[in-house]
Amino acid sequence: MAMYTHSIHSANEPHPFDPPHDVMKMLKREINELRAAFQAEQQQRAVEVQQLRQEVQVLKDQLQKESHERKTICHQTVQDLTQVRSDQIKSLEEMKVSFASSLHQLNQLLQDEMRDRRAEGSLRDTRESTEKSERQSENAAMKDDIGKHKQVF
């Protein structure tokens, strides 16, 4: 620019295009800085997006793993509960059979006891009746003997 200043203007006088040229250089520099900042921001965001994608993938994998584990645990729990229920039903049925058997045995024992007591009562009644008959016979015999002894005297 200095070469063109000698024809009309003096060396001390600024060229009329110098201030706009400086403004354009400053704007160009600012644009380059903004582009660099924008590219850095884009790269930063791209890195963050990539990190977030990786994190999302890790979380998806963890969720799938946890979901599978929970399904496995639930399935095992259902099987365990089914087995426990089956065992309890079996135990209950065994208890019912045992109770019915015990009740039958108790009933049989009561029937035997009632029969034994009836037989004992009948035996006692027969024994008492026999004893009574014997006593009456003995009494009658004694009366006869006493009557005979009275006649003899």
Side-chain angles (χ1 to χ4, degrees):
M1 292 281 178
M3 292 196 301
Y4 299 111
T5 58
H6 71 290
S7 63
I8 302 179
H9 300 287
S10 69
N12 290 343
E13 243 178 74
H15 191 277
F17 292 129
D18 283 345
H21 184 265
D22 291 340
V23 168
M24 286 179 64
K25 282 186 352 185
M26 183 180 70
L27 285 175
K28 189 174 184 182
R29 191 173 359 110
E30 285 179 6
I31 287 174
N32 286 338
E33 288 173 0
L34 286 173
R35 278 186 185 153
F38 180 69
Q39 285 178 351
E41 183 73 23
Q42 276 184 326
Q43 287 176 353
Q44 176 72 24
R45 296 299 166 245
V47 168
E48 288 174 357
V49 165
Q50 184 61 31
Q51 288 173 343
L52 288 172
R53 284 184 179 152
Q54 288 173 351
E55 188 176 337
V56 165
Q57 187 60 41
V58 167
L59 290 173
K60 282 182 179 179
D61 292 344
Q62 287 176 346
L63 178 63
Q64 186 177 9
K65 181 182 176 186
E66 184 176 337
S67 175
H68 177 71
E69 288 173 355
R70 286 180 186 246
K71 285 179 183 177
T72 302
I73 289 170
C74 285
H75 180 70
Q76 185 62 42
T77 302
V78 166
Q79 284 182 334
D80 291 347
L81 287 175
T82 302
Q83 183 63 40
V84 166
R85 183 173 181 256
S86 175
D87 292 347
Q88 287 180 343
I89 288 173
K90 183 179 176 184
S91 295
L92 182 62
E93 289 300 320
E94 289 173 357
M95 284 175 37
K96 283 180 181 179
V97 167
S98 175
F99 180 72
S101 175
S102 296
L103 190 60
H104 179 71
Q105 287 175 352
L106 180 62
N107 191 23
Q108 191 65 38
L109 288 173
L110 285 173
Q111 293 296 328
D112 291 347
E113 181 68 22
M114 286 172 36
R115 187 186 48 202
D116 290 348
R117 285 188 181 187
R118 277 191 217 124
E120 187 178 298
S122 177
L123 183 62
R124 184 184 61 236
D125 289 345
T126 304
R127 198 176 326 126
E128 286 176 0
S129 175
T130 304
E131 255 184 62
K132 185 178 179 183
S133 294
E134 286 177 4
R135 300 285 177 249
Q136 285 175 348
S137 297
E138 288 175 1
N139 195 11
M142 278 193 204
K143 279 183 183 182
D144 287 340
D145 283 342
I146 290 176
K148 286 180 188 178
H149 283 299
K150 276 185 182 184
Q151 286 179 354
V152 172
F153 286 114

PDB file of all heavy atoms in Angstrom, residues 75-94:
ATOM      1  N   HIS A  75     -38.100 -66.866  37.756  1.00  0.00           N
ATOM      2  CA  HIS A  75     -38.405 -68.224  37.323  1.00  0.00           C
ATOM      3  C   HIS A  75     -38.022 -69.226  38.415  1.00  0.00           C
ATOM      4  O   HIS A  75     -38.798 -70.136  38.740  1.00  0.00           O
ATOM      5  CB  HIS A  75     -37.658 -68.537  36.020  1.00  0.00           C
ATOM      6  CG  HIS A  75     -37.911 -69.904  35.483  1.00  0.00           C
ATOM      7  ND1 HIS A  75     -39.126 -70.279  34.954  1.00  0.00           N
ATOM      8  CD2 HIS A  75     -37.119 -70.993  35.410  1.00  0.00           C
ATOM      9  CE1 HIS A  75     -39.063 -71.542  34.579  1.00  0.00           C
ATOM     10  NE2 HIS A  75     -37.855 -72.000  34.847  1.00  0.00           N
ATOM     11  N   GLN A  76     -36.846 -69.039  38.996  1.00  0.00           N
ATOM     12  CA  GLN A  76     -36.391 -69.930  40.065  1.00  0.00           C
ATOM     13  C   GLN A  76     -37.304 -69.821  41.282  1.00  0.00           C
ATOM     14  O   GLN A  76     -37.643 -70.821  41.916  1.00  0.00           O
ATOM     15  CB  GLN A  76     -34.945 -69.622  40.457  1.00  0.00           C
ATOM     16  CG  GLN A  76     -34.371 -70.588  41.469  1.00  0.00           C
ATOM     17  CD  GLN A  76     -34.304 -72.011  40.954  1.00  0.00           C
ATOM     18  OE1 GLN A  76     -33.943 -72.244  39.815  1.00  0.00           O
ATOM     19  NE2 GLN A  76     -34.678 -72.966  41.777  1.00  0.00           N
ATOM     20  N   THR A  77     -37.717 -68.593  41.614  1.00  0.00           N
ATOM     21  CA  THR A  77     -38.611 -68.381  42.751  1.00  0.00           C
ATOM     22  C   THR A  77     -39.944 -69.080  42.513  1.00  0.00           C
ATOM     23  O   THR A  77     -40.488 -69.712  43.430  1.00  0.00           O
ATOM     24  CB  THR A  77     -38.833 -66.873  42.987  1.00  0.00           C
ATOM     25  OG1 THR A  77     -37.569 -66.243  43.212  1.00  0.00           O
ATOM     26  CG2 THR A  77     -39.750 -66.628  44.170  1.00  0.00           C
ATOM     27  N   VAL A  78     -40.474 -68.964  41.292  1.00  0.00           N
ATOM     28  CA  VAL A  78     -41.741 -69.627  40.970  1.00  0.00           C
ATOM     29  C   VAL A  78     -41.579 -71.140  41.097  1.00  0.00           C
ATOM     30  O   VAL A  78     -42.444 -71.821  41.663  1.00  0.00           O
ATOM     31  CB  VAL A  78     -42.220 -69.230  39.551  1.00  0.00           C
ATOM     32  CG1 VAL A  78     -43.328 -70.143  39.066  1.00  0.00           C
ATOM     33  CG2 VAL A  78     -42.682 -67.784  39.532  1.00  0.00           C
ATOM     34  N   GLN A  79     -40.467 -71.665  40.607  1.00  0.00           N
ATOM     35  CA  GLN A  79     -40.229 -73.109  40.738  1.00  0.00           C
ATOM     36  C   GLN A  79     -40.124 -73.512  42.207  1.00  0.00           C
ATOM     37  O   GLN A  79     -40.693 -74.528  42.613  1.00  0.00           O
ATOM     38  CB  GLN A  79     -38.949 -73.513  39.996  1.00  0.00           C
ATOM     39  CG  GLN A  79     -39.110 -73.583  38.502  1.00  0.00           C
ATOM     40  CD  GLN A  79     -37.822 -74.029  37.823  1.00  0.00           C
ATOM     41  OE1 GLN A  79     -36.732 -73.838  38.350  1.00  0.00           O
ATOM     42  NE2 GLN A  79     -37.954 -74.612  36.645  1.00  0.00           N
ATOM     43  N   ASP A  80     -39.392 -72.727  42.976  1.00  0.00           N
ATOM     44  CA  ASP A  80     -39.242 -73.027  44.405  1.00  0.00           C
ATOM     45  C   ASP A  80     -40.590 -72.990  45.119  1.00  0.00           C
ATOM     46  O   ASP A  80     -40.899 -73.868  45.934  1.00  0.00           O
ATOM     47  CB  ASP A  80     -38.270 -72.050  45.072  1.00  0.00           C
ATOM     48  CG  ASP A  80     -36.828 -72.233  44.609  1.00  0.00           C
ATOM     49  OD1 ASP A  80     -36.531 -73.265  43.963  1.00  0.00           O
ATOM     50  OD2 ASP A  80     -36.000 -71.326  44.873  1.00  0.00           O
ATOM     51  N   LEU A  81     -41.382 -71.961  44.821  1.00  0.00           N
ATOM     52  CA  LEU A  81     -42.694 -71.843  45.461  1.00  0.00           C
ATOM     53  C   LEU A  81     -43.611 -72.995  45.040  1.00  0.00           C
ATOM     54  O   LEU A  81     -44.369 -73.518  45.862  1.00  0.00           O
ATOM     55  CB  LEU A  81     -43.350 -70.502  45.116  1.00  0.00           C
ATOM     56  CG  LEU A  81     -42.737 -69.282  45.802  1.00  0.00           C
ATOM     57  CD1 LEU A  81     -43.381 -68.006  45.279  1.00  0.00           C
ATOM     58  CD2 LEU A  81     -42.882 -69.366  47.305  1.00  0.00           C
ATOM     59  N   THR A  82     -43.512 -73.389  43.783  1.00  0.00           N
ATOM     60  CA  THR A  82     -44.315 -74.516  43.309  1.00  0.00           C
ATOM     61  C   THR A  82     -43.909 -75.785  44.044  1.00  0.00           C
ATOM     62  O   THR A  82     -44.768 -76.573  44.470  1.00  0.00           O
ATOM     63  CB  THR A  82     -44.137 -74.702  41.787  1.00  0.00           C
ATOM     64  OG1 THR A  82     -44.519 -73.489  41.126  1.00  0.00           O
ATOM     65  CG2 THR A  82     -44.964 -75.855  41.269  1.00  0.00           C
ATOM     66  N   GLN A  83     -42.607 -75.977  44.235  1.00  0.00           N
ATOM     67  CA  GLN A  83     -42.116 -77.155  44.947  1.00  0.00           C
ATOM     68  C   GLN A  83     -42.559 -77.125  46.407  1.00  0.00           C
ATOM     69  O   GLN A  83     -43.007 -78.133  46.950  1.00  0.00           O
ATOM     70  CB  GLN A  83     -40.583 -77.238  44.865  1.00  0.00           C
ATOM     71  CG  GLN A  83     -40.008 -78.470  45.523  1.00  0.00           C
ATOM     72  CD  GLN A  83     -40.458 -79.753  44.854  1.00  0.00           C
ATOM     73  OE1 GLN A  83     -40.542 -79.826  43.645  1.00  0.00           O
ATOM     74  NE2 GLN A  83     -40.760 -80.758  45.642  1.00  0.00           N
ATOM     75  N   VAL A  84     -42.443 -75.953  47.034  1.00  0.00           N
ATOM     76  CA  VAL A  84     -42.860 -75.810  48.434  1.00  0.00           C
ATOM     77  C   VAL A  84     -44.354 -76.097  48.557  1.00  0.00           C
ATOM     78  O   VAL A  84     -44.794 -76.816  49.463  1.00  0.00           O
ATOM     79  CB  VAL A  84     -42.521 -74.398  48.969  1.00  0.00           C
ATOM     80  CG1 VAL A  84     -43.237 -74.117  50.275  1.00  0.00           C
ATOM     81  CG2 VAL A  84     -41.022 -74.244  49.150  1.00  0.00           C
ATOM     82  N   ARG A  85     -45.125 -75.557  47.641  1.00  0.00           N
ATOM     83  CA  ARG A  85     -46.578 -75.782  47.664  1.00  0.00           C
ATOM     84  C   ARG A  85     -46.881 -77.263  47.488  1.00  0.00           C
ATOM     85  O   ARG A  85     -47.713 -77.827  48.206  1.00  0.00           O
ATOM     86  CB  ARG A  85     -47.253 -74.974  46.564  1.00  0.00           C
ATOM     87  CG  ARG A  85     -48.754 -75.100  46.571  1.00  0.00           C
ATOM     88  CD  ARG A  85     -49.388 -74.151  45.563  1.00  0.00           C
ATOM     89  NE  ARG A  85     -50.803 -74.259  45.596  1.00  0.00           N
ATOM     90  CZ  ARG A  85     -51.526 -74.889  44.672  1.00  0.00           C
ATOM     91  NH1 ARG A  85     -50.940 -75.444  43.640  1.00  0.00           N
ATOM     92  NH2 ARG A  85     -52.835 -74.940  44.768  1.00  0.00           N
ATOM     93  N   SER A  86     -46.198 -77.885  46.549  1.00  0.00           N
ATOM     94  CA  SER A  86     -46.387 -79.312  46.321  1.00  0.00           C
ATOM     95  C   SER A  86     -46.032 -80.113  47.575  1.00  0.00           C
ATOM     96  O   SER A  86     -46.769 -81.020  47.971  1.00  0.00           O
ATOM     97  CB  SER A  86     -45.532 -79.765  45.142  1.00  0.00           C
ATOM     98  OG  SER A  86     -45.609 -81.146  44.970  1.00  0.00           O
ATOM     99  N   ASP A  87     -44.913 -79.759  48.191  1.00  0.00           N
ATOM    100  CA  ASP A  87     -44.494 -80.435  49.425  1.00  0.00           C
ATOM    101  C   ASP A  87     -45.514 -80.234  50.539  1.00  0.00           C
ATOM    102  O   ASP A  87     -45.816 -81.167  51.295  1.00  0.00           O
ATOM    103  CB  ASP A  87     -43.121 -79.941  49.880  1.00  0.00           C
ATOM    104  CG  ASP A  87     -41.995 -80.361  48.945  1.00  0.00           C
ATOM    105  OD1 ASP A  87     -42.225 -81.243  48.080  1.00  0.00           O
ATOM    106  OD2 ASP A  87     -40.878 -79.800  49.064  1.00  0.00           O
ATOM    107  N   GLN A  88     -46.033 -79.031  50.644  1.00  0.00           N
ATOM    108  CA  GLN A  88     -47.013 -78.751  51.690  1.00  0.00           C
ATOM    109  C   GLN A  88     -48.313 -79.510  51.441  1.00  0.00           C
ATOM    110  O   GLN A  88     -48.915 -80.034  52.379  1.00  0.00           O
ATOM    111  CB  GLN A  88     -47.287 -77.253  51.791  1.00  0.00           C
ATOM    112  CG  GLN A  88     -46.155 -76.488  52.424  1.00  0.00           C
ATOM    113  CD  GLN A  88     -46.423 -75.003  52.523  1.00  0.00           C
ATOM    114  OE1 GLN A  88     -47.305 -74.469  51.859  1.00  0.00           O
ATOM    115  NE2 GLN A  88     -45.646 -74.324  53.345  1.00  0.00           N
ATOM    116  N   ILE A  89     -48.725 -79.568  50.185  1.00  0.00           N
ATOM    117  CA  ILE A  89     -49.942 -80.318  49.863  1.00  0.00           C
ATOM    118  C   ILE A  89     -49.730 -81.790  50.176  1.00  0.00           C
ATOM    119  O   ILE A  89     -50.605 -82.448  50.759  1.00  0.00           O
ATOM    120  CB  ILE A  89     -50.340 -80.102  48.385  1.00  0.00           C
ATOM    121  CG1 ILE A  89     -50.871 -78.681  48.194  1.00  0.00           C
ATOM    122  CG2 ILE A  89     -51.374 -81.123  47.939  1.00  0.00           C
ATOM    123  CD1 ILE A  89     -51.127 -78.302  46.752  1.00  0.00           C
ATOM    124  N   LYS A  90     -48.552 -82.313  49.822  1.00  0.00           N
ATOM    125  CA  LYS A  90     -48.237 -83.711  50.114  1.00  0.00           C
ATOM    126  C   LYS A  90     -48.249 -83.948  51.624  1.00  0.00           C
ATOM    127  O   LYS A  90     -48.823 -84.934  52.103  1.00  0.00           O
ATOM    128  CB  LYS A  90     -46.870 -84.062  49.531  1.00  0.00           C
ATOM    129  CG  LYS A  90     -46.473 -85.500  49.709  1.00  0.00           C
ATOM    130  CD  LYS A  90     -45.126 -85.771  49.077  1.00  0.00           C
ATOM    131  CE  LYS A  90     -44.662 -87.188  49.333  1.00  0.00           C
ATOM    132  NZ  LYS A  90     -43.317 -87.426  48.808  1.00  0.00           N
ATOM    133  N   SER A  91     -47.606 -83.034  52.376  1.00  0.00           N
ATOM    134  CA  SER A  91     -47.578 -83.162  53.836  1.00  0.00           C
ATOM    135  C   SER A  91     -48.988 -83.097  54.410  1.00  0.00           C
ATOM    136  O   SER A  91     -49.329 -83.859  55.332  1.00  0.00           O
ATOM    137  CB  SER A  91     -46.725 -82.049  54.454  1.00  0.00           C
ATOM    138  OG  SER A  91     -45.391 -82.175  54.078  1.00  0.00           O
ATOM    139  N   LEU A  92     -49.797 -82.211  53.877  1.00  0.00           N
ATOM    140  CA  LEU A  92     -51.175 -82.075  54.347  1.00  0.00           C
ATOM    141  C   LEU A  92     -51.954 -83.362  54.080  1.00  0.00           C
ATOM    142  O   LEU A  92     -52.697 -83.833  54.953  1.00  0.00           O
ATOM    143  CB  LEU A  92     -51.858 -80.890  53.675  1.00  0.00           C
ATOM    144  CG  LEU A  92     -53.290 -80.605  54.104  1.00  0.00           C
ATOM    145  CD1 LEU A  92     -53.345 -80.254  55.580  1.00  0.00           C
ATOM    146  CD2 LEU A  92     -53.876 -79.486  53.267  1.00  0.00           C
ATOM    147  N   GLU A  93     -51.771 -83.924  52.899  1.00  0.00           N
ATOM    148  CA  GLU A  93     -52.454 -85.177  52.574  1.00  0.00           C
ATOM    149  C   GLU A  93     -51.978 -86.306  53.502  1.00  0.00           C
ATOM    150  O   GLU A  93     -52.783 -87.100  53.976  1.00  0.00           O
ATOM    151  CB  GLU A  93     -52.227 -85.558  51.110  1.00  0.00           C
ATOM    152  CG  GLU A  93     -52.944 -84.671  50.120  1.00  0.00           C
ATOM    153  CD  GLU A  93     -54.452 -84.673  50.299  1.00  0.00           C
ATOM    154  OE1 GLU A  93     -55.036 -85.744  50.566  1.00  0.00           O
ATOM    155  OE2 GLU A  93     -55.055 -83.589  50.202  1.00  0.00           O
ATOM    156  N   GLU A  94     -50.671 -86.345  53.751  1.00  0.00           N
ATOM    157  CA  GLU A  94     -50.138 -87.351  54.672  1.00  0.00           C
ATOM    158  C   GLU A  94     -50.716 -87.163  56.072  1.00  0.00           C
ATOM    159  O   GLU A  94     -51.045 -88.140  56.759  1.00  0.00           O
ATOM    160  CB  GLU A  94     -48.614 -87.285  54.711  1.00  0.00           C
ATOM    161  CG  GLU A  94     -47.945 -87.789  53.456  1.00  0.00           C
ATOM    162  CD  GLU A  94     -46.438 -87.563  53.442  1.00  0.00           C
ATOM    163  OE1 GLU A  94     -45.906 -86.959  54.402  1.00  0.00           O
ATOM    164  OE2 GLU A  94     -45.796 -87.982  52.469  1.00  0.00           O
TER     165      GLU A  94
END
